[in-house]
């Protein structure tokens, strides 16, 4: 039983991560985060009654920039343990789900 616990601990603290997998996961994260914010920008600029949500538009630009910085950090540095790498990726994905639920639940300004 202690061998399994030791193996699990070693896997969670491992910093070995294949370069191709690192590149692929970071590219997918960049596409997903950019797609979410681009969807909001498209909705904002094509709908005429969302002008009152300009602050959310500025916030989304900051939101996207911060996510790109974190994803760049994940790509650049290889000393991040596996549990932290997975946790950061999940937080980025869950944060984008909540961001999408928030911005696409906003009511038009005229209503």
């Amino acid at each position: 039983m202690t061998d399994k616990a030791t193996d699990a601990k070693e896997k969670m603290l491992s910093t070995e991560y294949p370069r191709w997998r690192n590149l692929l996961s970071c590219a997918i994260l960049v596409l997903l985060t950019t797609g979410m914010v681009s969807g909001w920008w498209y909705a904002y600029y094509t709908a005429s009654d969302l002008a009152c949500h300009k602050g959310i538009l500025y916030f989304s630009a900051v939101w996207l920039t911060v996510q790109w910085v974190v994803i760049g950090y994940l790509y650049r540095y290889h000393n991040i343990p596996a549990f932290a790498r997975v946790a950061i990726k999940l937080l980025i994905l869950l944060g984008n789900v909540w961001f999408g639920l928030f911005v696409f639940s906003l009511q038009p300004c005229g209503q």
Side-chain angles (χ1 to χ4, degrees):
M1 188 63 152
T2 59
D3 291 338
K4 289 182 181 180
T6 304
D7 289 343
K9 179 182 171 187
E10 287 176 6
K11 284 182 183 178
M12 295 303 282
L13 294 176
S14 173
T15 57
E16 295 177 12
Y17 199 67
R19 192 163 213 41
W20 67 269
R21 190 173 173 191
N22 188 21
L23 177 65
L24 184 63
S25 66
C26 289
I28 289 171
L29 280 174
V30 165
L31 288 174
L32 289 174
T33 57
T34 305
M36 177 60 70
V37 175
S38 297
W40 166 244
W41 290 348
Y42 177 78
Y44 180 82
Y45 286 115
T46 57
S48 61
D49 52 354
L50 291 177
C52 64
H53 299 301
K54 191 174 233 177
I56 305 298
L57 184 74
Y58 295 143
F59 171 73
S60 68
V62 173
W63 174 266
L64 184 61
T65 304
V66 169
Q67 289 185 89
W68 282 347
V69 167
V70 172
I71 294 168
Y73 180 84
L74 283 175
Y75 177 72
R76 175 72 174 98
Y77 295 100
H78 303 286
N79 59 351
I80 303 169
F83 78 92
R85 182 176 292 277
V86 170
I88 291 169
K89 290 177 184 177
L90 284 175
L91 286 173
I92 289 172
L93 292 173
L94 287 173
N96 277 296
V97 167
W98 285 110
F99 177 77
L101 289 173
F102 169 69
V103 296
F104 291 111
S105 70
L106 294 174
Q107 298 296 321
C109 299
Q111 294 180 354

